[in-house]
Amino acid sequence: MLDLNINAKSPAAINAAVKKIKEMVKTGAIAKDSPIHLVLEAGVYRETVKYNLSNPLVIESAPGVKPEDCIVQADNCEAFNKGLENRGVFIIGPNATNVSLKKFSIINTHNKSSVAEVSPADIAEALIFNNTTGTLFAENMVIEGKQNTLFVKGFTWFLNCTVSGDSEFIYGEADTALFENCHIHLKEDTRGDFAGFAVKSSALNSKPGLIFSCCTFSADKRRKVPVFVYKTEGKGTQDSPKGWDSVAFITCMFSEFYDEQLVWDDDMVLNVFPRGNAKTGVREYNSKVVQKNGNVVEAETSMRNVKTYTLTQDDYFASYSSRYLLLKDTPFDVKE
């Protein structure tokens, strides 16, 4: 294993380390499958980072350093650098194998300029996992942005993380993306009173998609417009390779500021596909609502979008009651 300590006082310190690793692989100093361990000292790393090597990678803050004291940040967006491979702050490419991120923050500081509710020019991810064959494991991470904060493909697992944004800020073309014990926060839109959406799925055909297990969904109240936990793109069909509305909320707590319909589909103009069932679609189990006074009550599900599905106890114990069951069909090595 190659161990490198990185200090924020050096300009573009993380990129310099990645460049060094790339040169070592090229010259044969280390093998293409040699594990890499990068330790970040406390500070603010003002750079965009791209990692697209096959070497397994662990990046974490130094022992004793809190995530909020170790920050990778930049102002980046589609208008500045076009394409998914360019517009984020931390971008993991298709050649990566196994990447672990632990105990630091990734922040896209971009402020939206468009007056449109959702602007393509203002897509500004903090973290992009643009990879269908490897894995991403994130633990005790803070991932912060505004529009489209976190993009996931393939296989990802977020444990005890905080993810925040103001619109469609968790999205992607996932096979399986597990969010376990995470805090999901829908922030106020600083441009005005626009409707807000936390999650949007374009999951792969017949796959579990985005799974939120024991997560808390908080929200800043909008003045006159609603906020929704989930927004459909309305593009999924039985034969489409992706675009499926596949998302599960298992024993999650939702702020009472979220609309009781859970799913926004433009007043049923858009197609929500597939209809929720035990394996795919929009499904939930044991949902709770956190009231303004802090009390936690059972969620009232009678107003849910008609395409959603409430999992039965049998469904839950068959497929959702443990980490092993949630990840057993993925490359993650999780023991029963």
Side-chain angles (χ1 to χ4, degrees):
M1 176 182 288
L2 175 64
D3 288 286
L4 296 174
N5 278 62
I6 301 174
N7 194 300
K9 295 178 181 178
S10 301
I14 302 174
N15 276 299
V18 172
K19 183 179 180 181
K20 179 179 180 179
I21 296 164
K22 190 174 182 179
E23 290 173 350
M24 292 177 74
V25 171
K26 186 176 180 180
T27 60
I30 60 172
K32 291 182 178 180
D33 58 356
S34 294
I36 308 297
H37 183 211
L38 303 184
V39 177
L40 305 180
E41 300 295 335
V44 180
Y45 298 81
R46 303 183 188 278
E47 55 184 311
T48 59
V49 179
K50 295 182 180 181
Y51 188 78
N52 196 29
L53 301 175
S54 59
N55 299 74
L57 173 69
V58 175
I59 303 184
E60 60 184 327
S61 63
V65 176
K66 298 178 181 178
E68 58 268 29
D69 295 328
C70 183
I71 303 170
V72 180
Q73 75 173 42
D75 180 353
N76 200 9
C77 68
E78 177 69 16
F80 299 164
N81 295 289
K82 294 187 181 301
L84 190 65
E85 68 278 10
N86 298 311
R87 64 182 181 231
V89 174
F90 202 109
I91 304 162
I92 300 167
N95 294 325
T97 53
N98 306 111
V99 176
S100 294
L101 308 177
K102 301 179 180 181
K103 293 197 302 131
F104 65 97
S105 299
I106 304 173
I107 301 175
N108 194 327
T109 61
H110 179 69
N111 288 317
K112 296 185 285 186
S113 57
S114 171
V115 296
E117 185 172 295
V118 178
S119 165
D122 283 319
I123 296 174
E125 292 91 350
L127 174 60
I128 294 171
F129 187 66
N130 188 20
N131 183 295
T132 58
T133 57
T135 61
L136 168 65
F137 173 63
E139 183 176 16
N140 293 319
M141 293 290 294
V142 175
I143 306 165
E144 181 180 331
K146 294 182 175 63
Q147 181 182 312
N148 304 108
T149 303
L150 172 62
F151 175 88
V152 291
K153 275 187 178 180
F155 304 97
T156 56
W157 175 13
F158 297 84
L159 177 63
N160 300 325
C161 294
T162 296
V163 187
S164 63
D166 65 18
S167 186
E168 304 176 21
F169 62 92
I170 297 177
Y171 80 114
E173 302 165 4
D175 179 307
T176 305
L178 173 61
F179 294 80
E180 184 180 2
N181 298 322
C182 291
H183 180 200
I184 314 300
H185 182 64
L186 179 59
K187 299 189 292 187
E188 178 186 10
D189 193 320
T190 56
R191 301 169 304 150
D193 205 27
F194 294 94
F197 315 94
V199 180
K200 182 175 69 174
S201 169
S202 183
L204 301 187
N205 187 311
S206 302
K207 299 301 183 180
L210 307 172
I211 303 171
F212 297 87
S213 177
C214 299
C215 292
T216 299
F217 286 76
S218 59
D220 294 332
K221 187 177 181 354
R222 307 289 165 102
R223 290 186 292 275
K224 295 181 180 180
V225 296
V227 294
F228 291 84
V229 175
Y230 183 79
K231 178 182 182 180
T232 182
E233 286 192 311
K235 295 181 178 178
T237 66
Q238 183 173 348
D239 298 323
S240 59
K242 58 185 180 181
W244 278 37
D245 292 297
S246 203
V247 58
F249 302 101
I250 311 299
T251 314
C252 290
M253 295 196 297
F254 302 104
S255 163
E256 71 172 4
F257 295 146
Y258 283 105
D259 193 282
E260 290 181 343
Q261 294 179 75
L262 195 74
V263 175
W264 177 92
D265 66 353
D266 201 11
D267 292 330
M268 294 187 287
V269 172
L270 299 176
N271 181 41
V272 182
F273 186 88
R275 180 178 287 273
N277 59 79
K279 296 293 185 181
T280 57
V282 182
R283 54 220 190 268
E284 66 178 311
Y285 179 81
N286 193 30
S287 297
K288 309 288 186 183
V289 172
V290 182
Q291 299 176 321
K292 283 183 287 187
N293 60 11
N295 290 340
V296 178
V297 299
E298 296 288 333
E300 174 53 67
T301 59
S302 63
M303 295 296 292
R304 294 298 199 231
N305 185 291
V306 295
K307 290 292 187 75
T308 66
Y309 174 73
T310 300
L311 295 164
T312 66
Q313 255 194 1
D314 287 344
D315 295 333
Y316 171 73
F317 284 110
S319 302
Y320 299 93
S321 59
S322 71
R323 181 183 293 166
Y324 169 77
L325 289 173
L326 294 169
L327 294 175
K328 67 183 180 65
D329 294 324
T330 74
F332 288 107
D333 185 19
V334 178
K335 304 299 182 185
E336 190 170 5

